[in-house]
Amino acid sequence: MLLFILMVMSLATSVTAQQQQIGPPDHSGSFDFDGYTRTFDYYIPSSYNEKKSVPLMISFHGRGSNAEGQRFLSGFEAVAEKEGFIVAFPNSTALGHETLLGHRFQWNDGRIDTPQFNAGVDDVAFTDALIDYFEGKYNIDPSRIYASGMSNGSIFANRLAVELSDRIAGIGAVTGPLAFPIAQQTPKGPVTVVLFMGVEDPIVPYDGVQNYLLSTDATIDYWVKANNTVKKPRVTYLPQTEPGDPTKIRREVYSGGKHGTQVILYKMEGTGHTWPSGPQYAEIKDIGLVSHHINGSQVIWDELKTHRLPGAKAQGKQK
């Protein structure tokens, strides 16, 4: 069963270069870390002024995809330009046997049966070093560093919220809950979590996989307890803005957490393994529907932008 899920995830979450209609990245970078050359694309908004600190968003691709695929899927560059933050798209490592899509690019999200786990790839430490890279090169506000991701990248973002919450103020996780082994840990500190899960997701089941991936409800319960938010959410259904789109989006907000943290669930009824308003990157029968009632990247930013890391110096370093 788990092997089948991994095979499907590898195929369905890959947004390949042939599918993309985007230009070259605004910037790219690399550095050697723990025996690997780690690479990443990133975007600097035109409003950037080195005298003023700006937030940093790191967006992680899904299994089998890459930085270019995540740029195409999320459209985060447009949001970064509009809102004035830097967005980075790192590449994972490529380990294991080849598939139809080549080597399996994947984040070590905490599941114990992946090549990256078996090889001891420390993607959490790499992310920590990536933050150092941007803080050394640009004027980053250390209180406003966020992570987001799709599928395997979403599961990894949940891991970061547990293990790197001393540097990350919040995450926006799309189609990926907590990995079971990571859920056995206690987060370093409070962190705002925004989770988007498709009820009809055929790749990552909404109800999870026993002893492998937590269900959506169990993931929310974990974060509600970790952040000590209210236990009863404020529930609304968002307007169905796109005619002909049958999907519905239920928003559940658990507020009142430590240091003002929140836990927010976007329960996407009728949708599959997709990014809200992103591309229909594979056939509906394989991945389910995309909801076009919200822009996932804009919503992630809107939900996270007011949340700051407790104890971090808000203004960052002046250059």
Side-chain angles (χ1 to χ4, degrees):
M1 175 64 176
L2 296 185
L3 178 60
F4 171 76
I5 290 173
L6 286 173
M7 290 172 63
V8 174
M9 285 181 70
S10 179
L11 184 61
T13 64
S14 299
V15 183
T16 65
Q18 288 76 17
Q19 294 172 294
Q20 297 176 52
Q21 301 295 325
I22 57 173
D26 181 55
H27 297 278
S28 61
S30 67
F31 57 82
D32 292 334
F33 182 82
D34 202 22
Y36 300 91
T37 298
R38 305 305 299 261
T39 61
F40 45 93
D41 296 341
Y42 60 101
Y43 183 81
I44 308 297
S46 60
S47 61
Y48 175 73
N49 183 330
E50 65 178 10
K51 294 182 180 180
K52 182 180 179 181
S53 63
V54 297
L56 172 66
M57 171 70 72
I58 307 175
S59 195
F60 297 92
H61 63 74
R63 186 176 190 268
S65 188
N66 54 27
E68 190 177 10
Q70 185 63 11
R71 289 172 57 217
F72 170 68
L73 180 75
S74 68
F76 246 127
E77 287 161 307
V79 181
E81 175 64 24
K82 175 185 174 185
E83 302 287 351
F85 62 90
I86 294 174
V87 59
F89 305 92
N91 286 301
S92 65
T93 54
L95 299 174
H97 65 268
E98 289 194 35
T99 68
L100 292 174
L101 300 167
H103 287 288
R104 296 184 291 180
F105 283 85
Q106 181 171 345
W107 301 102
N108 184 355
D109 58 22
R111 291 173 291 172
I112 63 174
D113 59 350
T114 67
Q116 279 71 12
F117 178 89
N118 292 332
V121 176
D122 195 341
D123 281 323
V124 175
F126 161 64
T127 304
D128 197 33
L130 185 65
I131 294 171
D132 288 341
Y133 174 92
F134 280 98
E135 288 189 336
K137 193 174 179 68
Y138 299 98
N139 195 351
I140 301 297
D141 184 344
S143 73
R144 300 180 72 195
I145 297 172
Y146 311 105
S148 60
M150 167 73 176
S151 191
N152 163 234
S154 173
I155 301 168
F156 180 59
N158 272 277
R159 180 176 188 175
L160 291 176
V162 175
E163 298 181 0
L164 205 61
S165 50
D166 55 343
R167 301 204 74 179
I168 290 176
I171 67 166
V174 182
T175 71
L178 268 169
F180 179 79
I182 304 303
Q184 311 313 306
Q185 302 178 35
T186 300
K188 287 185 175 182
V191 59
T192 289
V193 172
V194 186
L195 180 64
F196 299 74
M197 293 295 293
V199 176
E200 306 300 327
D201 190 332
I203 311 301
V204 176
Y206 187 88
D207 292 329
V209 180
Q210 188 174 9
N211 297 327
Y212 188 66
L213 287 173
L214 263 61
S215 69
T216 301
D217 290 345
T219 298
I220 293 298
D221 286 346
Y222 173 94
W223 288 117
V224 163
K225 292 174 183 176
N227 289 313
N228 195 28
T229 69
V230 298
K231 293 180 174 58
K232 186 174 181 180
R234 183 174 72 253
V235 177
T236 56
Y237 272 91
L238 303 188
Q240 290 179 278
T241 58
E242 293 298 316
D245 184 340
T247 64
K248 296 180 181 180
I249 299 178
R250 173 186 167 107
R251 180 174 181 261
E252 301 180 3
V253 180
Y254 301 80
S255 57
K258 288 180 281 189
H259 301 293
T261 53
Q262 294 178 304
V263 178
I264 302 171
L265 172 64
Y266 282 84
K267 183 176 182 179
M268 301 187 295
E269 299 174 6
T271 76
H273 199 69
T274 53
W275 191 280
S277 287
Q280 186 74 51
Y281 61 88
E283 293 187 25
I284 293 173
K285 65 181 180 64
D286 294 325
I287 64 168
L289 286 170
V290 177
S291 178
H292 294 279
H293 299 310
I294 59 172
N295 179 312
S297 297
Q298 185 68 58
V299 170
I300 288 171
W301 176 249
D302 289 342
E303 296 286 20
L304 294 179
K305 64 184 179 182
T306 61
H307 293 279
R308 296 180 179 271
L309 185 69
K313 186 178 178 182
Q315 293 304 313
K317 61 184 180 183
Q318 298 300 314
K319 293 196 171 187

